[in-house]
Amino acid sequence: MLSHLNSPQREAVKYLDGPCLVLAGAGSGKTRVITQKIAWMVQQCGLDTRNIAAITFTNKAAREMRERVGKLLDSAQSKHLTVCTFHALGVRIIRQEAKLVGLKPQFSILDTSDIHQILAELAGSTDKATLKAIQWTISGWKNALIPPAEAEKLVKDESSQAAAKLYPAYEQTLRAYQGVDFDDLIALPVRLFDEHPDAQERWQNKLRYLLIDEYQDTNRAQYRLLRQLAGVRGAFTAVGDDDQAIYAWRGADVENLSLLQQDYPRLKVIKLEQNYRSSNRILNAANTLIANNAKLFEKKLWSDHGLGEPISVIAARNPEHEAELVAMRISTHRFETRSHFRDYAILYRGNHQARLFEQQLRNHKIPYVLSGGQSFFERTEIRDLLSYLRLIANGDDDLAFIRAVTTPRRGIGAATLEALGRYAGARHISLFAAASEEGVTEHLPARQLETLRNFTRFIHQLEHRATREPAGRLLNELLSAIGYEAWLLESCDVREAELKSSNVRDFIDWLSRKGEEDNKNLLELTQTIALINMLDNDEEDIDAVQLATLHASKGLEFPHVFLVGVEEGLLPHQSSIDEDKVEEERRLMYVGVTRAQRSLSITWSERRKNAGEICSMEPSRFIEELGDGLKRNGKDAPVVSKEEGKARLASLAAMLQKR
């Protein structure tokens, strides 16, 4: 069953004598190793799939892994396998051990907008930048497992001082809401296992072998959770690549790789260096580039795909010219090679760079998709409306209750919800149910209680009608009854309010049509919406050029890649240069280079506007670090002769006649 694997891959699959670290270079088949190892353990070693967990960082990766395993195992075996993200595993642990962490099993997971709302009330501020900084700081502390009492000792500026001041109240508010934030999904299980060894033993017995994907992206809390689950046995395989560690800015700690060696002296390290994606010209450049970083583990990528095309380096006059050059080259290259638009990707350091490329692609009638764009269902106004639908369908959804009862505002604030949350927590019931109980009258002021009960009666009425009346009629009545569009005009500027109202109307029209076409009532439609994830569209089926940040491109591959804006101050970013963090920027460049299969073009602009001024730019140091063999186009490139130019035009003319 392992005959199609190379020698290091087979070794990684078969090694079960202790903890194992698989250093999987870009395009070296790491997912294949993980899925084959699961099949090997089940089919050859007799392990029960109930006792195996494969942990990923994205739902997409988990889905792909589950699909691949499903082709290797029969359905009876694979259905009991745990394949999920770190955070999904955290949810599972907290739900099953809810009482031990002081929560009810139906706890709510609050999103960023909910968290900003809590922080705004605690801070008495609506300044988005301030709230984001506070949330980011608290998130960093949670990822590093730093409790509120210790955070006070780490204050170093006004921002962290404000965060430390709010941190205890923020935690109390979350618990009062019977809610958790995203970081709690890791931090709470870690604390649970520290304080309750019996619970830790229960989960160690349940998950007897762990496989961790993208290990280099783990933060300190995730590493601690891994150690707690693996125990002294160290029955795990961690798969990662220190050269692709690009998420330090969101808490990932590349030092976790060296910690593995310290904490598990018997750690077996296996290197996957054969690349199945790129030409050797691209891999040689990637190897030469990353050799400039301090190395924890030495490895060198190679492939059987031949030398390949030279890497092009193109100097543009300015960003507009750069975008035009890229669009023209894609158009010409696609025509000459009979390739598809989906074979091309334009990768950049920051989202702000995308606009000019979008403009030029539209000018050249080139279809494109923007990776990492906001899902329609993630828009604030759609989430507001969805909170009502979710609450109508499921009264135990506290997250939906909190959002719906406070949007639009009804005079229900944090104090009322905190009191309601305490009562609901003591009774182990939902906030929605608690608002209707007679006992809650002793805990809430009469005016707030009456407002709450008017709201719950309204939801009950809609729930009763939801299975009996057309969805469209109910949705329009709901929107009118809560005065949502009038509230938008009060709380947003006119243009923003009109845009949000238009999105809400589009959403209601879509749901109404879907209800009629599929003969579904509002409750059934709500369940349908829950299964839709706009970010999971099969973009590979769309024949369009992919635009993405370098961070978003990780894990993807394309026949032809354009790396744009490769200039000092942009890549590497100036803040990273100032803070002496160029090594992570170099890893980011490495990720971009290794996305390319057959051709790689690198562009930079000689001038760029910065803070309203036109500045001269220098090509990134990373271009020189790619080594020899670059084909340069621009002021430092050899001039093409008239004869060669005529020959190219004649070739194009001949191709046109053939078409």
Side-chain angles (χ1 to χ4, degrees):
M1 65 182 288
L2 306 181
S3 59
H4 61 294
L5 302 182
N6 63 39
S7 181
Q9 288 175 332
R10 283 196 296 274
E11 184 183 12
V13 167
K14 295 167 75 172
Y15 186 79
L16 291 168
D17 294 335
C20 179
L21 172 62
V22 179
L23 284 171
S28 63
K30 66 181 178 65
T31 305
R32 185 189 309 165
V33 166
I34 294 172
T35 53
Q36 289 288 344
K37 186 154 191 167
I38 292 170
W40 177 266
M41 288 190 292
V42 173
Q43 295 172 348
Q44 302 296 320
C45 306
L47 269 72
D48 192 324
T49 49
R50 289 180 177 85
N51 301 132
I52 300 172
I55 305 171
T56 69
F57 272 84
T58 65
N59 290 321
K60 182 180 177 183
R63 207 164 42 247
E64 180 188 352
M65 202 169 287
R66 183 173 286 281
E67 286 170 2
R68 289 211 202 178
V69 172
K71 294 174 183 176
L72 300 173
L73 301 175
D74 63 51
S75 57
Q77 292 173 319
S78 59
K79 75 176 181 180
H80 296 298
L81 180 71
T82 296
V83 183
C84 64
T85 64
F86 263 105
H87 293 91
L89 179 61
V91 169
R92 195 175 303 181
I93 294 170
I94 298 170
R95 285 203 194 283
Q96 290 190 27
E97 310 290 348
K99 283 189 178 180
L100 294 180
V101 292
L103 292 168
K104 59 178 185 175
Q106 295 82 24
F107 65 88
S108 294
I109 303 167
L110 278 67
D111 63 17
T112 303
S113 61
D114 295 317
I115 290 163
H116 281 188
Q117 185 175 321
I118 292 170
L119 290 173
E121 291 176 356
L122 293 174
S125 169
T126 56
D127 183 70
K128 289 183 179 180
T130 300
L131 296 175
K132 187 176 181 180
I134 291 171
Q135 189 263 331
W136 194 257
T137 303
I138 291 174
S139 175
W141 284 333
K142 286 193 173 190
N143 285 333
L145 301 172
I146 297 167
E150 289 182 28
E152 294 175 7
K153 304 169 189 173
L154 301 175
V155 169
K156 57 185 178 182
D157 52 33
E158 284 187 19
S159 179
S160 58
Q161 186 174 24
K165 186 179 178 182
L166 294 181
Y167 194 2
Y170 170 71
E171 288 291 87
Q172 289 169 6
T173 305
L174 287 182
R175 297 299 93 84
Y177 286 178
Q178 285 291 294
V180 300
D181 61 22
F182 202 59
D183 304 308
D184 284 330
L185 298 179
I186 309 297
L188 284 178
V190 169
R191 195 175 80 199
L192 166 75
F193 292 151
D194 276 344
E195 297 174 358
H196 299 278
D198 54 329
Q200 182 179 1
E201 186 178 353
R202 200 158 44 241
W203 282 89
Q204 285 178 346
N205 289 332
K206 180 179 176 63
L207 304 178
R208 291 177 173 271
Y209 200 92
L210 305 173
L211 301 106
I212 301 92
D213 190 20
E214 302 286 9
Y215 175 75
Q216 78 281 349
D217 294 336
T218 54
N219 59 36
R220 195 51 55 96
Q222 288 161 337
Y223 176 63
R224 183 83 169 275
L225 182 60
L226 163 63
R227 285 207 66 199
Q228 288 174 325
L229 289 170
V232 293
R233 292 180 299 114
F236 67 82
T237 293
V239 181
D241 182 6
D242 51 330
D243 291 333
Q244 295 187 74
I246 58 173
Y247 292 116
W249 55 276
R250 69 179 189 196
D253 192 347
V254 72
E255 288 301 311
N256 286 349
L257 283 160
S258 58
L259 281 177
L260 268 186
Q261 290 183 305
Q262 294 175 30
D263 296 333
Y264 295 96
R266 292 175 49 240
L267 182 73
K268 173 80 168 177
V269 179
I270 299 170
K271 299 177 186 178
L272 304 184
E273 297 174 293
Q274 182 175 358
N275 175 286
Y276 292 91
R277 174 187 301 160
S278 308
S279 70
N280 276 300
R281 186 109 58 176
I282 291 167
L283 297 180
N284 291 342
N287 289 332
T288 307
L289 169 75
I290 206 65
N292 290 278
N293 273 8
K295 303 289 286 181
L296 188 61
F297 302 99
E298 289 292 339
K299 67 178 185 304
K300 195 169 184 179
L301 296 179
W302 61 276
S303 84
D304 286 332
H305 291 330
L307 187 59
E309 300 176 24
I311 296 170
S312 293
V313 178
I314 305 157
R317 295 188 301 274
N318 52 47
E320 291 77 13
H321 182 224
E322 179 184 36
E324 185 181 16
L325 280 174
V326 169
M328 288 173 63
R329 281 176 174 260
I330 289 173
S331 187
T332 303
H333 189 271
R334 175 182 167 272
F335 178 76
E336 290 176 346
T337 59
R338 304 289 200 274
S339 49
H340 301 283
F341 286 119
R342 62 173 170 266
D343 295 336
Y344 299 86
I346 302 172
L347 308 181
Y348 36 80
R349 176 65 176 81
N351 277 311
H352 67 278
Q353 294 170 259
R355 185 180 60 83
L356 290 175
F357 291 94
E358 288 189 77
Q359 196 173 57
Q360 285 297 331
L361 292 173
R362 286 197 297 268
N363 288 348
H364 286 79
K365 295 182 171 52
I366 297 173
Y368 66 88
V369 289
L370 202 60
S371 182
Q374 186 186 39
S375 161
F376 183 75
F377 293 113
E378 289 298 315
R379 295 177 190 273
T380 302
E381 60 274 20
I382 304 303
R383 289 177 63 81
D384 288 343
L385 204 55
L386 276 173
S387 67
Y388 282 87
L389 305 190
R390 284 164 42 195
L391 192 58
I392 291 166
N394 175 18
D396 287 332
D397 190 336
D398 281 359
L399 176 59
F401 176 86
I402 292 168
R403 189 166 192 137
V405 81
T406 57
T407 310
R409 293 281 185 180
R410 295 179 173 82
I412 302 296
T416 302
L417 288 172
E418 187 174 347
L420 184 65
R422 277 198 302 269
Y423 178 81
R427 296 274 296 130
H428 301 292
I429 57 176
S430 71
L431 296 172
F432 187 80
S436 302
E437 284 205 346
E438 191 60 35
V440 80
T441 56
E442 300 174 16
H443 301 271
L444 293 175
R447 193 176 69 174
Q448 275 76 21
L449 182 60
E450 181 59 25
T451 302
L452 278 173
R453 287 185 168 169
N454 284 337
F455 174 76
T456 57
R457 281 193 289 270
F458 172 62
I459 297 297
H460 275 307
Q461 288 168 3
L462 289 173
E463 180 189 0
H464 177 74
R465 296 171 60 192
T467 56
R468 296 169 173 81
E469 299 180 32
R473 182 195 304 168
L474 279 178
L475 285 165
N476 281 294
E477 281 190 33
L478 167 63
L479 196 66
S480 176
I482 65 175
Y484 187 76
E485 290 175 295
W487 177 73
L488 283 177
L489 285 168
E490 291 173 12
S491 54
C492 307
D493 62 50
V494 175
R495 188 174 176 182
E496 185 182 7
E498 287 176 350
L499 177 62
K500 290 187 173 186
S501 291
S502 175
N503 287 336
V504 167
R505 287 291 171 187
D506 287 346
F507 176 61
I508 288 178
D509 290 345
W510 174 77
L511 265 183
S512 301
R513 285 196 307 273
K514 196 161 185 61
E516 291 174 6
E517 291 167 4
D518 299 349
N519 194 27
K520 286 186 174 182
N521 62 45
L522 193 60
L523 299 187
E524 292 167 332
L525 285 172
T526 302
Q527 293 169 341
T528 301
I529 296 166
L531 299 175
I532 296 173
N533 188 338
M534 296 291 279
L535 293 178
D536 288 338
N537 279 345
D538 295 325
E539 291 178 350
E540 61 270 17
D541 293 332
I542 303 171
D543 189 22
V545 174
Q546 179 84 52
L547 274 70
T549 64
L550 287 164
H551 284 102
S553 74
K554 191 155 166 284
L556 305 177
E557 57 185 64
F558 306 91
H560 311 289
V561 168
F562 287 82
L563 262 177
V564 300
V566 187
E567 302 144 28
E568 285 293 303
L570 199 52
L571 181 65
H573 197 273
Q574 190 59 48
S575 61
S576 297
I577 297 172
D578 296 340
E579 297 168 19
D580 196 24
K581 294 180 179 176
V582 172
E583 289 206 345
E584 175 145 343
E585 294 288 297
R586 187 175 284 113
R587 291 194 289 267
L588 197 55
M589 178 76 175
Y590 175 86
V591 165
V593 169
T594 54
R595 298 312 92 196
Q597 295 171 318
R598 298 204 293 275
S599 78
L600 174 64
S601 300
I602 296 168
T603 68
W604 66 280
S605 292
E606 294 168 2
R607 288 178 297 280
R608 191 176 290 272
K609 188 177 286 188
N610 186 17
E613 293 186 12
I614 302 295
C615 303
S616 293
M617 306 299 291
E618 293 294 328
S620 169
R621 68 192 74 182
F622 298 152
I623 294 176
E624 288 303 319
E625 290 176 1
L626 292 171
D628 299 328
L630 303 180
K631 178 184 174 186
R632 297 179 183 271
N633 300 81
K635 61 184 180 183
D636 55 349
V639 177
V640 176
S641 67
K642 285 186 178 180
E643 289 72 20
E644 187 177 347
K646 287 179 180 177
R648 288 185 186 177
L649 283 172
S651 176
L652 275 172
M655 290 176 68
L656 279 168
Q657 287 177 351
K658 287 179 184 176
R659 286 170 74 90

